[in-house]
Amino acid sequence: MKKKYKKIEKKNCRRCVVCREFFPKEQLIRVVKTKEKKIFIDPSFKIQGRGAYLLPSLEVVKLAFKKKSLDYALKLKVPEEIYKKLEEMVKNKEL
């Protein structure tokens, strides 16, 4: 039986690495691994490198840490500092 997916214009959409759903790029947080194997949070969406996207939700950030979703997506161990920065960003946006 075929699954019916919602029709979303995928032109500027990206998939959240935790919930695996498509969202417009502007609604997500981008985490980037550069060629030098450094990891950054990229609010401008312009840093070159392998990117992974997360919903700006505290639950999603905690699940990403628990499941190591960013490690898998970026093919590199993500330091705990990055998760702490993500949590701070999300908390500041929710206030």
Side-chain angles (χ1 to χ4, degrees):
M1 184 174 221
K2 292 184 179 181
K3 291 184 180 180
K4 293 184 179 181
Y5 293 101
K6 294 179 187 175
K7 281 197 169 188
I8 296 177
E9 187 179 328
K10 295 184 182 180
K11 186 176 181 181
N12 285 328
C13 290
R14 300 293 184 266
R15 186 185 297 250
C16 173
V17 296
V18 177
C19 67
R20 309 294 295 160
E21 291 185 31
F22 284 97
F23 295 94
K25 181 167 97 168
E26 297 80 24
Q27 293 179 6
L28 301 171
I29 299 172
R30 184 172 187 239
V31 181
V32 182
K33 177 186 84 170
T34 62
K35 289 183 181 179
E36 295 81 29
K37 298 189 178 181
K38 293 182 182 179
I39 297 177
F40 299 101
I41 297 171
D42 180 20
S44 66
F45 299 96
K46 293 184 179 182
I47 297 175
Q48 291 186 348
R50 184 175 187 88
Y53 295 85
L54 291 172
L55 272 176
S57 157
L58 200 56
E59 295 171 3
V60 169
V61 173
K62 288 181 179 181
L63 265 176
F65 178 69
K66 183 179 176 184
K67 292 182 175 183
K68 306 291 184 201
S69 301
L70 284 176
D71 294 7
Y72 181 74
L74 297 174
K75 301 178 181 179
L76 185 69
K77 174 109 173 75
V78 176
E80 204 168 317
E81 311 165 348
I82 297 293
Y83 290 105
K84 288 180 183 176
K85 287 181 186 176
L86 285 168
E87 282 183 19
E88 288 174 18
M89 284 179 64
V90 170
K91 285 179 184 177
N92 291 337
K93 284 185 180 179
E94 287 179 354
L95 294 176

